[in-house]
């Protein structure tokens, strides 16, 4: 008996420029107490499935065929009143951004009370007890006045726990968790995933777990459905699908992710990107054909049928045996880093912020960065890992000169630039450039790409003529792998990955010797991430530069960086060659971090180190 | 929370002092630079030049301007705003008898503006994306583009002259006796137990209050609509829907509660403007408030009154802005000190 069944479900969008398929040929059945993983890159239609279940599709989108049955009732044709009764009670959602999913002007208690009343809690008096019991089941510290706290007073992990407590308060039958951990730190992520699994077991709930992380899905799901451009590519039992992928896309996704164990292997970089909504309509044959490494002419002739691979395992590929033969390329070599005078040396740098200021009381200080020392050699890539609030980004700002250290020294190419005087600033500009995290907000939307990437010419005060600037821009774009015609586009006309390339090109324009990159691949799809990582390695080979690479993703750091610094609460708790630190961590915090990453082999048991003080999350 | 509000009040009071000093200095000096001779104004028209000169010396007008300001300020701080040149009465008592009327007018007009503005904003938001939207949008812009004095004239013509439903001059009908306890007519008539007087006063206030209220409501409407549109993009609205809450509950409890914050800032600013806007409306309706006093004073170059009334407007606007900021603090938990 299945709880939720999709039969040939398809969703379409109708716009002024025509009708587009958004989701097609979706088939799955979710048994009670099971977890179904929906995996795919952004734009694949993962979230649209959640919205179809709730029937909250964006304007212009509608179900164009098939059925979606929940406990025998077709959700597609169900009247809105009946469906609204199911929502929040039998079908619940855990959102992606916990901080923004709670109303900022209501306390946690008020929101919990509203929800309890909604799901049929009638007596007024003991709602507090019931709320606290629900919070206790998600391991939130109670008694700490949690009910009277506003969402902004809690950390992201705590907000997510509140939302999970709300979701499970009615003992629902179906939970849809839409990337519930993407916005959270690795260590928190592991705990939240484990928590959802724990609650799911307690109530025997069915869960749809939407994620872009195939490895994570393989760990916690019973069944996985891989979506590509709105159509299932492969569906099967989680471990079977992960260990013997039968669709080239599944295999490529796996290989695009850097490994955490064994030899450092190359990343499989898929060319270009997934076709968008408008492009899908005009495609004939397999949607993945244009990017598939094993494509044959027959692939482009007709949409591939779903072939039975094994028990409950189907793949939309005409040659399912081919997936296993796709092999990763050899890894890009890591050049020997010259030992000698370091390019950058940071000596006992401290940055403190005054948190409360008063004439009468003693001022309290918060040390975001506490006596951190490290060196960066010529051509060396150094990774900085740690959770949010560990001081990674502050350290980056100190190096670039966006902030002034409260103590310590920063020496760059043999020159002490700590004081950051006028000439120090000019010197810094020539030597170090920063790539910001979010290309969306880092690129001025009113400037063309050519003008953005050559901003360094402006900054240096050289008024180059326009043709020279355009030539330089085209040269930079060629280096980062964008077509020359991109020079005259605006950022809004580029994809996320292309924007991040422009962001990198801008930093490279001044030919810096050091690049400081703050989480530049987080938030990008794995295939785009792989492209960017290889771009950085290739650029290092071609032109040579050192990089300080800040990331919360350990596998990326393992792939890219020669050395790694582990930061915790403003201090470097461990540092060394990446391979050594990751294979034999010495500090307890490094071990916690490493255990939070799901293992490469789905057969291995994942037991993240969940020891940790949740209460530390209260701000 | 009260500590935070107390802190805010302290801060604002400290800022208010220099603002008042600057405004009072500007008022005093600009009025003194005008080619008006207070000495000549305060004497009968047939006074001789010698008499005027003597009066000038008596009034201290030969002293340097800064010194004159100092003397005036010292007097003001003692509560002495001088004597009206035209009315030959104490300025402070003149202002104190007219101020309550103007406050009553402004508060009720603001109340009407808020009710029309918030209701209109909700309606505008409700019809978003439908065919009614264009029509209502047009209507709200039409309201926005008509100034309060046109509304005053329009309402007089319609309800006063054509339909003869409501009176449109003064505060009370002739022959109605006015009780005086606090100076606030509506309050006094209730305190004195005279509902007939109260009702008469309300009838006189309806047209001016609506004229002001209607003209100040469209901007509230439009800001509320657009901030509701913003708020509805937020995740918590979507999440509330996914929890199966009703649309009405989502709008009032989740949408409006967040969208009201930016609207409230605007309403604070609006209230300040509206207080200034009473001037024209009072003149049109012969409403015996501070605006009429001010217009009379300007006509007669009655400098002490202009100074005192100008300063009063300034103080009222400061008080309003402090009140709005405190309200903002109460409604927005993010601003409270933890």
């Amino acid at each position: 008996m299945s709880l939720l069944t999709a039969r040939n479900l398809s969703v379409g969008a109708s716009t002024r420029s025509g009708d587009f398929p958004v989701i097609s040929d979706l088939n799955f059945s979710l048994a009670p107490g099971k977890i179904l993983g929906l995996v795919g890159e952004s734009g694949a239609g993962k979230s649209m499935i959640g919205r179809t279940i709730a029937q909250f599709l964006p304007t212009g989108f509608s179900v164009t065929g098939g059925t979606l049955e929940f406990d025998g009732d077709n959700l597609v044709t169900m009247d809105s009143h009946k469906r609204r009764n199911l929502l929040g009670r039998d079908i619940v959602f855990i959102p992606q951004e916990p901080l923004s999913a709670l109303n900022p002007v209501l306390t946690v208690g008020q929101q919990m009370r509203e929800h309890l009343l909604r799901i049929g809690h009638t007596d007024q008096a003991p709602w507090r007890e019931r709320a606290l019991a629900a919070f206790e089941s998600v391991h939130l510290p109670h008694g700490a006045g949690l009910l009277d706290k506003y969402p902004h007073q809690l950390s992201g992990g705590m907000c997510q726990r509140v939302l999970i407590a709300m979701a499970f308060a009615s003992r629902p039958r179906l939970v849809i968790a839409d990337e519930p951990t993407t916005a959270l730190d690795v260590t928190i992520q592991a705990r939240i995933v484990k928590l959802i699994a724990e609650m799911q077991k307690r109530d025997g709930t069915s869960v749809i777990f939407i994620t872009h992380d195939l490895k994570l899905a393989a760990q916690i799901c019973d069944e996985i459905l891989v979506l590509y451009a709105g159509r299932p590519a492969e569906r099967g039992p989680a471990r079977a699908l992960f260990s013997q992928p039968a669709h080239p896309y599944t295999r490529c996704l796996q290989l695009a992710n850097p490994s955490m164990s064994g030899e450092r292997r190359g990343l499989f970089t898929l060319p270009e990107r997934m076709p968008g909504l408008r492009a899908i309509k005009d495609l004939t044959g397999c949607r993945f054909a244009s990017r598939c490494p094993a494509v044959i002419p027959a692939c482009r002739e007709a949409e591939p049928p779903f072939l039975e691979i094994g028990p409950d395992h189907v793949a939309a590929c005409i040659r399912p045996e081919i997936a296993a033969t796709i092999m990763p390329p050899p890894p890009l070599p890591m050049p020997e880093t010259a030992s000698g005078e370091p390019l950058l040396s940071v000596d006992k740098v401290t940055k403190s912020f005054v948190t409360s200021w008063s004439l009468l009381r003693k001022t309290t200080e918060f040390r975001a960065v506490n006596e951190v020392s490290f060196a960066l050699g010529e051509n060396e890539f150094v990774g900085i890992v740690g959770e949010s609030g560990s001081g990674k980004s502050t350290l980056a700002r100190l190096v670039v000169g966006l902030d002034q250290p409260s103590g310590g020294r920063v020496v760059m190419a043999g020159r002490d630039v700590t004081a950051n005087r006028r000439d120090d600033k000019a010197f810094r500009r020539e030597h170090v450039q920063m790539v910001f995290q979010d290309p969306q907000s880092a690129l001025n939307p009113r400037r063309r790409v050519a003008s953005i990437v050559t901003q360094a010419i402006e900054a240096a005060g050289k008024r180059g003529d326009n043709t020279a600037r355009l030539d330089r821009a085209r040269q930079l774009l060629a280096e980062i792998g964008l077509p020359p015609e991109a020079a005259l586009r605006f950022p809004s006309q580029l994809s996320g990955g292309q924007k991040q390339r422009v962001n990198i090109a801008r930093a490279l324009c001044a030919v810096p010797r050091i690049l400081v990159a703050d989480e530049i691949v987080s938030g990008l799809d794995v295939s785009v991430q792989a492209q960017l990582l290889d771009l950085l390695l290739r650029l290092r080979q071609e032109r040579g530069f050192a990089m300080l690479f800040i990331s919360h993703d350990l596998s990326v750091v393992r792939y890219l960086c020669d050395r790694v610094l582990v930061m915790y609460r403003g201090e470097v708790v461990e540092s060394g060659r990446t391979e050594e630190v990751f294979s034999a961590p010495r500090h307890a915090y490094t071990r916690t971090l490493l255990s939070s990453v799901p293992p490469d082999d789905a057969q291995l048991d994942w037991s993240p180190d969940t020891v940790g003080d949740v209460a530390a999350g209260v701000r | 929370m009260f500590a935070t509000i107390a802190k805010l009040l302290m801060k604002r009071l400290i800022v208010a002092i220099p603002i008042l000093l600057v405004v009072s200095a500007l008022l005093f000096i600009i009025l003194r630079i005008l080619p008006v001779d207070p000495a000549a104004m305060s004497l009968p028209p047939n006074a001789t030049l010698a008499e005027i000169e003597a009066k000038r010396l008596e009034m201290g007008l030969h002293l340097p301007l800064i010194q004159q300001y100092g003397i005036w300020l010292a007097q003001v701080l003692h509560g002495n705003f001088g004597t009206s040149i035209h009315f030959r009465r104490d300025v402070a008592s003149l202002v104190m008898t007219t101020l309550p009327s103007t406050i009553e007018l402004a508060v009720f007009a603001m109340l009407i503006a808020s009710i029309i503005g918030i209701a209109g904003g909700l309606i505008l938001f409700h019809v978003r994306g439908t065919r009614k939207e264009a029509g209502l949008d047009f209507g709200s812009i039409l309201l926005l583009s008509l100034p309060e004095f046109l509304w005053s004239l329009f309402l007089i013509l319609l309800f006063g002259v054509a339909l003869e439903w409501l009176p449109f001059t003064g505060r009370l009908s002739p022959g109605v006796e006015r009780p005086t306890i606090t100076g606030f007519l509506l309050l006094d008539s209730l305190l004195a137990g005279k509902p007939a007087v109260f009702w008469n006063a309300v009838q006189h206030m309806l047209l001016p209050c609506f004229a002001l209220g209607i003209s100040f409501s469209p901007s509230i409407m439009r800001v509320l609509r657009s901030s509701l549109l913003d708020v509805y993009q937020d995740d918590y609205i979507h999440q509330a829907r996914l929890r199966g809450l009703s649309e009405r509950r989502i709008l009032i409890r989740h949408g409006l509660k967040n969208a009201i914050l930016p609207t409230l800032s605007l309403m604070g600013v609006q209230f300040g403007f509206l207080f200034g806007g009473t001037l024209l409306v009072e003149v049109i309706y012969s409403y015996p408030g501070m605006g009429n006093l001010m217009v009379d004073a300007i006509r007669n170059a009655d400098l002490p009154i202009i100074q005192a009334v100008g300063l009063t407007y300034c103080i009222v606007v400061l008080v309003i802005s402090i009140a709005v900021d405190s309200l903002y603090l109460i409604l927005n938990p993010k601003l409270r000190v933890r």
Side-chain angles (χ1 to χ4, degrees):
Chain A
M1 180 57 203
S2 109
L3 181 71
L4 184 72
T5 316
R7 283 197 192 91
N8 294 323
L9 186 71
S10 54
V11 176
S14 70
T15 63
R16 280 198 195 125
S17 43
D19 295 351
F20 310 103
V22 179
I23 290 178
S24 15
D25 303 328
L26 186 70
N27 283 293
F28 65 81
S29 93
L30 177 61
K34 296 288 181 195
I35 306 182
L36 169 71
L38 286 181
V39 179
E41 297 178 85
S42 51
K46 296 176 306 224
S47 300
M48 215 47 79
I49 294 174
R51 298 184 76 142
T52 308
I53 294 171
Q55 286 288 304
F56 282 128
L57 290 167
T59 345
F61 285 57
S62 61
V63 174
T64 48
T67 58
L68 185 63
E69 275 178 20
F70 175 77
D71 201 20
D73 290 325
N74 188 354
L75 285 171
V76 178
T77 51
M78 188 182 279
D79 74 277
S80 61
H81 182 74
K82 193 169 170 194
R83 189 174 44 239
R84 196 162 74 73
N85 264 330
L86 286 177
L87 292 180
R89 204 172 282 156
D90 294 306
I91 303 177
V92 299
F93 288 79
I94 299 173
Q96 181 167 7
E97 300 271 350
L99 276 171
S100 53
L102 287 168
N103 189 334
V105 302
L106 298 176
T107 62
V108 167
Q110 285 171 323
Q111 300 187 49
M112 190 71 189
R113 179 164 174 265
E114 180 180 48
H115 182 61
L116 289 177
L117 293 177
R118 153 88 186 93
I119 60 175
H121 181 92
T122 40
D123 18 282
Q124 295 282 324
W127 73 268
R128 281 181 162 267
E129 279 86 88
R130 195 165 159 196
L132 287 174
F135 285 156
E136 205 170 337
S137 67
V138 296
H139 313 300
L140 273 170
H142 65 288
L146 186 64
L147 290 177
D148 300 321
K149 288 261 191 293
Y150 286 93
H152 71 272
Q153 294 168 302
L154 306 178
S155 67
M158 290 187 80
C159 283
Q160 193 60 291
R161 278 169 202 269
V162 168
L163 285 156
I164 291 173
M166 273 173 147
F168 281 94
S170 54
R171 309 230 159 195
R173 288 193 283 167
L174 175 64
V175 172
I176 295 132
D178 189 353
E179 305 247 10
T181 57
T182 312
L184 303 173
D185 275 317
V186 242
T187 49
I188 312 290
Q189 174 181 340
R191 289 178 203 160
I192 293 292
V193 168
K194 283 282 159 186
L195 175 67
I196 293 176
E198 179 192 325
M199 300 294 286
Q200 178 262 338
K201 280 210 186 65
R202 187 194 75 176
D203 295 353
T205 314
S206 304
V207 175
I208 293 184
F209 193 86
I210 302 173
T211 179
H212 62 274
D213 190 341
L214 188 60
K215 218 158 63 172
L216 181 67
Q219 274 297 330
I220 64 158
C221 299
D222 299 295
E223 202 181 12
I224 290 178
L225 191 140
V226 179
L227 272 175
Y228 185 80
R231 189 169 191 260
E234 185 172 1
R235 172 167 55 85
R239 295 201 171 175
L241 181 140
F242 191 76
S243 48
Q244 287 123 30
H247 194 286
Y249 178 61
T250 317
R251 176 77 180 151
C252 292
L253 263 188
Q254 231 173 10
L255 294 177
N257 238 329
S259 59
M260 271 309 278
S261 54
E263 280 286 291
R264 179 174 169 275
R265 61 160 168 80
L267 300 185
F268 194 92
T269 43
L270 284 171
E272 299 163 36
R273 54 191 171 115
M274 195 166 62
L277 277 187
R278 272 144 227 268
I280 295 172
K281 200 172 73 161
D282 308 321
L283 282 181
T284 50
C286 178
R287 294 179 184 184
F288 186 56
S290 62
R291 299 171 81 194
C292 185
V295 64
I296 54 170
C299 294
R300 300 187 197 273
E301 275 159 20
E303 205 150 47
F306 294 97
L307 292 184
E308 190 92 23
I309 309 298
D312 295 323
H313 191 167
V314 292
C317 182
I318 51 170
R319 298 192 298 160
E321 67 288 347
I322 207 76
T325 65
I326 299 171
M327 283 298 156
L332 286 176
M334 303 285 270
E336 278 303 305
T337 48
S339 51
E341 191 69 3
L343 192 53
L344 167 77
S345 82
V346 169
D347 187 25
K348 291 201 168 155
V349 156
T350 295
K351 175 74 186 174
S352 45
F353 295 100
V354 175
T355 47
S356 79
W357 187 90
S358 162
L359 279 177
L360 304 171
R361 274 171 290 145
K362 221 182 133 204
T363 56
T364 40
E365 261 188 3
F366 166 70
R367 290 200 162 183
V369 172
N370 195 4
E371 302 212 339
V372 167
S373 304
F374 70 92
L376 180 68
E378 200 88 51
N379 258 353
E380 191 182 29
F381 281 11
V382 171
I384 303 181
V385 296
E387 54 198 84
S388 52
S390 61
K392 295 177 304 205
S393 294
T394 314
L395 186 61
R397 294 175 67 86
L398 294 178
V399 168
V400 193
L402 287 171
D403 271 332
Q404 286 304 297
S406 330
R409 270 174 6 118
V410 179
V411 178
M412 200 172 280
R415 174 177 173 145
D416 189 337
V417 291
T418 321
N420 212 18
R421 284 184 300 269
R422 209 185 164 81
D423 46 339
D424 289 340
K425 276 187 189 149
F427 185 80
R428 255 199 177 136
R429 263 205 303 272
E430 282 171 26
H431 283 79
V432 62
Q433 286 288 327
M434 182 145 180
V435 187
F436 290 93
Q437 175 171 5
D438 180 15
Q440 184 69 39
S441 58
L443 304 179
N444 185 339
R446 294 182 164 271
R447 279 190 168 211
R448 289 179 199 275
V449 167
S451 133
I452 291 172
V453 293
T454 53
Q455 263 171 4
I457 298 177
E458 255 171 73
K462 295 172 212 151
R463 290 217 59 89
D465 61 305
N466 278 340
T467 42
R469 256 180 94 164
L470 198 58
D471 286 345
R472 178 82 182 110
R474 293 222 166 95
Q475 188 190 340
L476 281 164
L477 291 179
E479 265 188 89
I480 55 150
L482 282 183
E485 63 266 23
L488 294 177
R489 302 235 173 97
F490 286 102
S492 55
Q493 295 166 294
L494 305 175
S495 73
Q498 287 175 325
K499 278 184 208 158
Q500 197 58 285
R501 278 168 197 258
V502 169
N503 211 3
I504 293 170
R506 170 169 63 179
L508 291 175
C509 177
V511 201
R513 292 168 74 187
I514 308 170
L515 217 54
V516 176
D518 190 353
E519 299 271 15
I520 58 170
V521 292
S522 57
L524 297 175
D525 279 315
V526 265
S527 66
V528 179
Q529 170 180 299
Q531 291 169 4
L532 280 174
L533 295 181
D534 279 349
L535 172 71
L536 287 169
L537 286 174
R538 183 170 60 76
L539 285 171
R540 167 160 73 167
Q541 261 178 335
E542 284 170 12
R543 53 196 292 174
F545 59 88
M547 181 164 67
L548 212 51
F549 186 84
I550 296 167
S551 179
H552 67 275
D553 189 335
L554 301 182
S555 61
V556 166
V557 169
R558 182 174 185 262
Y559 179 71
L560 194 66
C561 298
D562 309 290
R563 282 194 302 127
V564 64
L565 308 175
V566 182
M567 284 192 78
Y568 182 61
R569 298 196 173 167
E571 289 176 35
V572 172
V573 293
E574 186 161 357
S575 67
R577 301 209 58 84
T578 314
E579 205 44 59
E580 286 160 27
V581 172
F582 283 7
S583 57
R586 265 173 299 180
H587 195 274
Y589 179 69
T590 317
R591 281 197 288 274
T592 310
L593 266 186
L594 285 167
S595 77
S596 308
V597 183
D600 289 335
D601 186 352
Q603 310 294 338
L604 289 176
D605 202 34
W606 180 39
S607 50
D609 192 353
T610 49
V611 188
D613 188 7
V614 186
V618 189
R619 277 190 216 143
Chain B
M1 188 165 85
F2 292 106
T4 322
I5 292 179
K7 216 168 168 180
L8 174 101
L9 288 181
M10 272 306 288
K11 261 191 212 159
R12 299 300 296 265
L13 274 179
I14 292 169
V15 178
I17 292 168
I19 291 179
L20 282 174
L21 276 178
V22 169
V23 170
S24 65
L26 279 176
L27 264 173
F28 185 86
I29 290 166
I30 290 171
L31 290 178
R32 285 294 293 112
I33 290 172
L34 286 180
V36 173
D37 190 348
M41 294 292 295
S42 52
L43 288 172
N46 55 0
T48 63
L49 278 177
E51 278 171 332
I52 292 174
E53 197 51 40
K55 187 74 183 171
R56 283 182 68 87
L57 278 175
E58 183 198 323
M59 291 173 80
L61 296 177
H62 59 289
L63 296 170
L65 208 52
I66 287 299
Q67 204 176 340
Q68 290 183 33
Y69 172 65
I71 294 169
W72 175 77
L73 192 65
Q75 292 293 321
V76 165
L77 289 178
H78 284 98
N80 178 13
F81 285 86
T83 309
S84 158
I85 295 168
H86 178 69
F87 296 102
R88 314 267 162 201
R89 271 177 63 192
D90 183 29
V91 171
S93 77
L94 270 174
V95 171
M96 284 322 286
T97 51
T98 53
L99 180 62
S101 306
T102 301
I103 289 180
E104 279 179 327
L105 176 65
V107 166
F108 282 102
M110 190 61 209
L111 208 66
I112 288 168
S114 311
I115 292 170
I116 299 178
I118 291 175
L122 288 174
I123 292 170
L124 276 179
F125 176 71
H126 186 71
V127 300
R128 69 191 183 281
T130 66
R131 243 180 274 155
K132 287 180 201 151
E133 187 177 19
L136 285 173
D137 214 35
F138 176 79
S140 80
I141 292 178
L142 192 71
L143 288 186
L144 185 67
S145 43
L146 287 178
E148 71 269 21
F149 54 86
L150 275 184
W151 277 110
S152 305
L153 296 176
F154 176 69
L155 291 181
I156 288 179
L157 282 176
L158 185 65
F159 294 104
V161 179
L163 298 171
E164 293 188 32
W165 285 356
L166 290 166
F168 53 87
T169 47
R171 289 225 67 181
L172 288 170
S173 300
V176 177
E177 203 181 326
R178 173 186 180 136
T180 312
I181 303 170
T182 59
F184 290 93
L185 180 56
L186 294 180
L187 190 65
D188 287 351
S189 57
L190 286 180
L191 286 176
K194 291 179 177 161
V197 179
F198 174 77
W199 188 234
N200 192 277
V202 166
Q203 284 182 333
H204 279 83
M205 281 180 74
L206 276 178
L207 290 185
C209 285
F210 265 96
L212 265 174
I214 292 172
S215 66
F216 278 90
S217 61
S219 39
I220 298 176
M221 261 179 228
R222 299 184 68 83
V223 167
L224 180 63
R225 192 254 306 256
S226 71
S227 57
L228 271 170
L229 285 174
D230 277 352
V231 163
Y232 264 61
Q233 300 295 317
D234 288 344
D235 282 353
Y236 53 83
I237 297 288
H238 189 62
Q239 196 61 25
R241 284 210 178 113
L242 291 178
R243 273 204 293 276
L245 296 180
S246 67
E247 282 299 317
R248 175 192 291 267
R249 194 172 174 88
I250 292 173
L251 176 61
I252 303 299
R253 191 170 157 91
H254 294 274
L256 191 60
K257 231 181 151 172
N258 280 284
I260 202 75
L261 290 172
T263 317
L264 197 67
S265 316
L266 172 91
M267 280 160 73
V269 177
Q270 288 278 60
F271 199 12
F273 284 131
L274 188 142
F275 207 84
T278 55
L279 199 140
L280 273 174
V281 173
E282 282 184 12
V283 173
I284 294 171
Y285 287 93
S286 318
Y287 187 93
M290 225 165 53
N292 260 323
L293 181 68
M294 183 72 158
V295 171
D296 279 346
I298 292 171
R299 215 175 268 145
N300 299 315
D302 202 339
L303 299 190
I305 292 185
I306 300 177
Q307 286 160 348
V309 172
L311 216 51
T312 313
Y313 275 118
C314 176
I315 291 170
V316 169
V317 169
L318 282 176
V319 168
I320 291 169
S321 88
I322 293 175
V324 169
D325 284 358
S326 314
L327 199 57
Y328 203 81
L329 211 62
I330 293 169
L331 289 178
N332 190 352
K334 278 193 190 172
L335 297 179
R336 287 179 220 154
V337 172
R338 288 142 222 164

